[in-house]
PDB file of all heavy atoms in Angstrom:
ATOM      1  N   ASP A  36     -17.545 -17.589  25.946  1.00 93.00           N
ATOM      2  CA  ASP A  36     -18.929 -17.778  26.383  1.00 93.00           C
ATOM      3  C   ASP A  36     -19.701 -16.465  26.489  1.00 93.00           C
ATOM      4  O   ASP A  36     -20.859 -16.449  26.923  1.00 93.00           O
ATOM      5  CB  ASP A  36     -18.958 -18.493  27.734  1.00 93.00           C
ATOM      6  CG  ASP A  36     -18.185 -17.747  28.815  1.00 93.00           C
ATOM      7  OD1 ASP A  36     -17.491 -16.759  28.479  1.00 93.00           O
ATOM      8  OD2 ASP A  36     -18.280 -18.160  29.989  1.00 93.00           O
ATOM      9  N   ALA A  37     -19.080 -15.348  26.076  1.00 94.00           N
ATOM     10  CA  ALA A  37     -19.763 -14.059  26.132  1.00 94.00           C
ATOM     11  C   ALA A  37     -20.625 -13.881  24.885  1.00 94.00           C
ATOM     12  O   ALA A  37     -20.156 -14.136  23.765  1.00 94.00           O
ATOM     13  CB  ALA A  37     -18.755 -12.928  26.236  1.00 94.00           C
ATOM     14  N   PRO A  38     -21.877 -13.462  25.024  1.00 95.00           N
ATOM     15  CA  PRO A  38     -22.754 -13.308  23.851  1.00 95.00           C
ATOM     16  C   PRO A  38     -22.169 -12.400  22.771  1.00 95.00           C
ATOM     17  O   PRO A  38     -22.281 -12.691  21.578  1.00 95.00           O
ATOM     18  CB  PRO A  38     -24.037 -12.728  24.443  1.00 95.00           C
ATOM     19  CG  PRO A  38     -24.044 -13.204  25.870  1.00 95.00           C
ATOM     20  CD  PRO A  38     -22.603 -13.202  26.289  1.00 95.00           C
ATOM     21  N   LEU A  39     -21.527 -11.284  23.173  1.00 94.00           N
ATOM     22  CA  LEU A  39     -20.966 -10.367  22.179  1.00 94.00           C
ATOM     23  C   LEU A  39     -19.824 -11.036  21.410  1.00 94.00           C
ATOM     24  O   LEU A  39     -19.735 -10.919  20.182  1.00 94.00           O
ATOM     25  CB  LEU A  39     -20.471  -9.088  22.851  1.00 94.00           C
ATOM     26  CG  LEU A  39     -19.836  -8.042  21.913  1.00 94.00           C
ATOM     27  CD1 LEU A  39     -20.809  -7.635  20.810  1.00 94.00           C
ATOM     28  CD2 LEU A  39     -19.371  -6.824  22.706  1.00 94.00           C
ATOM     29  N   ALA A  40     -18.949 -11.744  22.121  1.00 95.00           N
ATOM     30  CA  ALA A  40     -17.848 -12.435  21.451  1.00 95.00           C
ATOM     31  C   ALA A  40     -18.367 -13.502  20.496  1.00 95.00           C
ATOM     32  O   ALA A  40     -17.846 -13.668  19.383  1.00 95.00           O
ATOM     33  CB  ALA A  40     -16.912 -13.054  22.497  1.00 95.00           C
ATOM     34  N   THR A  41     -19.399 -14.226  20.911  1.00 95.00           N
ATOM     35  CA  THR A  41     -19.996 -15.236  20.038  1.00 95.00           C
ATOM     36  C   THR A  41     -20.576 -14.600  18.785  1.00 95.00           C
ATOM     37  O   THR A  41     -20.412 -15.107  17.665  1.00 95.00           O
ATOM     38  CB  THR A  41     -21.088 -16.007  20.791  1.00 95.00           C
ATOM     39  OG1 THR A  41     -20.519 -16.633  21.940  1.00 95.00           O
ATOM     40  CG2 THR A  41     -21.725 -17.056  19.901  1.00 95.00           C
ATOM     41  N   ALA A  42     -21.255 -13.469  18.962  1.00 96.00           N
ATOM     42  CA  ALA A  42     -21.836 -12.768  17.813  1.00 96.00           C
ATOM     43  C   ALA A  42     -20.750 -12.273  16.866  1.00 96.00           C
ATOM     44  O   ALA A  42     -20.881 -12.375  15.637  1.00 96.00           O
ATOM     45  CB  ALA A  42     -22.699 -11.606  18.304  1.00 96.00           C
ATOM     46  N   TRP A  43     -19.674 -11.716  17.437  1.00 96.00           N
ATOM     47  CA  TRP A  43     -18.550 -11.283  16.600  1.00 96.00           C
ATOM     48  C   TRP A  43     -17.971 -12.449  15.804  1.00 96.00           C
ATOM     49  O   TRP A  43     -17.718 -12.335  14.608  1.00 96.00           O
ATOM     50  CB  TRP A  43     -17.449 -10.706  17.483  1.00 96.00           C
ATOM     51  CG  TRP A  43     -17.668  -9.300  17.946  1.00 96.00           C
ATOM     52  CD1 TRP A  43     -18.658  -8.443  17.579  1.00 96.00           C
ATOM     53  CD2 TRP A  43     -16.839  -8.605  18.887  1.00 96.00           C
ATOM     54  NE1 TRP A  43     -18.509  -7.249  18.220  1.00 96.00           N
ATOM     55  CE2 TRP A  43     -17.407  -7.301  19.028  1.00 96.00           C
ATOM     56  CE3 TRP A  43     -15.707  -8.934  19.613  1.00 96.00           C
ATOM     57  CZ2 TRP A  43     -16.846  -6.349  19.876  1.00 96.00           C
ATOM     58  CZ3 TRP A  43     -15.148  -7.988  20.453  1.00 96.00           C
ATOM     59  CH2 TRP A  43     -15.721  -6.712  20.593  1.00 96.00           C
ATOM     60  N   GLN A  44     -17.738 -13.555  16.476  1.00 96.00           N
ATOM     61  CA  GLN A  44     -17.119 -14.715  15.834  1.00 96.00           C
ATOM     62  C   GLN A  44     -17.979 -15.198  14.661  1.00 96.00           C
ATOM     63  O   GLN A  44     -17.465 -15.469  13.572  1.00 96.00           O
ATOM     64  CB  GLN A  44     -16.937 -15.842  16.854  1.00 96.00           C
ATOM     65  CG  GLN A  44     -16.069 -16.994  16.398  1.00 96.00           C
ATOM     66  CD  GLN A  44     -14.588 -16.762  16.667  1.00 96.00           C
ATOM     67  OE1 GLN A  44     -14.213 -15.989  17.545  1.00 96.00           O
ATOM     68  NE2 GLN A  44     -13.733 -17.432  15.913  1.00 96.00           N
ATOM     69  N   GLN A  45     -19.269 -15.296  14.880  1.00 96.00           N
ATOM     70  CA  GLN A  45     -20.161 -15.785  13.828  1.00 96.00           C
ATOM     71  C   GLN A  45     -20.232 -14.797  12.666  1.00 96.00           C
ATOM     72  O   GLN A  45     -20.184 -15.204  11.495  1.00 96.00           O
ATOM     73  CB  GLN A  45     -21.553 -16.043  14.402  1.00 96.00           C
ATOM     74  CG  GLN A  45     -21.600 -17.209  15.382  1.00 96.00           C
ATOM     75  CD  GLN A  45     -22.959 -17.351  16.052  1.00 96.00           C
ATOM     76  OE1 GLN A  45     -23.808 -16.451  15.986  1.00 96.00           O
ATOM     77  NE2 GLN A  45     -23.170 -18.478  16.719  1.00 96.00           N
ATOM     78  N   ALA A  46     -20.364 -13.508  12.978  1.00 97.00           N
ATOM     79  CA  ALA A  46     -20.446 -12.506  11.914  1.00 97.00           C
ATOM     80  C   ALA A  46     -19.139 -12.424  11.135  1.00 97.00           C
ATOM     81  O   ALA A  46     -19.137 -12.289   9.897  1.00 97.00           O
ATOM     82  CB  ALA A  46     -20.808 -11.145  12.506  1.00 97.00           C
ATOM     83  N   ALA A  47     -18.008 -12.510  11.837  1.00 97.00           N
ATOM     84  CA  ALA A  47     -16.712 -12.462  11.166  1.00 97.00           C
ATOM     85  C   ALA A  47     -16.530 -13.655  10.241  1.00 97.00           C
ATOM     86  O   ALA A  47     -16.006 -13.518   9.125  1.00 97.00           O
ATOM     87  CB  ALA A  47     -15.584 -12.413  12.201  1.00 97.00           C
ATOM     88  N   ALA A  48     -16.949 -14.823  10.679  1.00 95.00           N
ATOM     89  CA  ALA A  48     -16.841 -16.012   9.834  1.00 95.00           C
ATOM     90  C   ALA A  48     -17.694 -15.865   8.577  1.00 95.00           C
ATOM     91  O   ALA A  48     -17.295 -16.275   7.484  1.00 95.00           O
ATOM     92  CB  ALA A  48     -17.261 -17.249  10.623  1.00 95.00           C
ATOM     93  N   GLY A  49     -18.876 -15.257   8.734  1.00 95.00           N
ATOM     94  CA  GLY A  49     -19.717 -15.028   7.567  1.00 95.00           C
ATOM     95  C   GLY A  49     -19.088 -14.072   6.575  1.00 95.00           C
ATOM     96  O   GLY A  49     -19.143 -14.290   5.353  1.00 95.00           O
ATOM     97  N   ILE A  50     -18.455 -13.008   7.076  1.00 96.00           N
ATOM     98  CA  ILE A  50     -17.760 -12.067   6.187  1.00 96.00           C
ATOM     99  C   ILE A  50     -16.562 -12.739   5.542  1.00 96.00           C
ATOM    100  O   ILE A  50     -16.320 -12.596   4.337  1.00 96.00           O
ATOM    101  CB  ILE A  50     -17.338 -10.819   6.978  1.00 96.00           C
ATOM    102  CG1 ILE A  50     -18.582 -10.018   7.378  1.00 96.00           C
ATOM    103  CG2 ILE A  50     -16.376  -9.954   6.172  1.00 96.00           C
ATOM    104  CD1 ILE A  50     -18.303  -8.871   8.325  1.00 96.00           C
ATOM    105  N   ARG A  51     -15.826 -13.505   6.338  1.00 94.00           N
ATOM    106  CA  ARG A  51     -14.647 -14.212   5.814  1.00 94.00           C
ATOM    107  C   ARG A  51     -15.035 -15.118   4.654  1.00 94.00           C
ATOM    108  O   ARG A  51     -14.339 -15.194   3.636  1.00 94.00           O
ATOM    109  CB  ARG A  51     -14.021 -15.035   6.947  1.00 94.00           C
ATOM    110  CG  ARG A  51     -12.809 -15.878   6.540  1.00 94.00           C
ATOM    111  CD  ARG A  51     -11.595 -14.996   6.325  1.00 94.00           C
ATOM    112  NE  ARG A  51     -10.394 -15.798   6.242  1.00 94.00           N
ATOM    113  CZ  ARG A  51      -9.924 -16.354   5.128  1.00 94.00           C
ATOM    114  NH1 ARG A  51     -10.578 -16.214   4.000  1.00 94.00           N
ATOM    115  NH2 ARG A  51      -8.809 -17.057   5.145  1.00 94.00           N
ATOM    116  N   ALA A  52     -16.169 -15.790   4.774  1.00 93.00           N
ATOM    117  CA  ALA A  52     -16.614 -16.685   3.709  1.00 93.00           C
ATOM    118  C   ALA A  52     -16.951 -15.917   2.440  1.00 93.00           C
ATOM    119  O   ALA A  52     -16.755 -16.426   1.330  1.00 93.00           O
ATOM    120  CB  ALA A  52     -17.833 -17.480   4.180  1.00 93.00           C
TER     121      ALA A  52
END
Side-chain angles (χ1 to χ4, degrees):
D36 58 351
L39 179 57
T41 301
W43 280 353
Q44 191 87 24
Q45 292 174 347
I50 291 172
R51 178 74 167 87

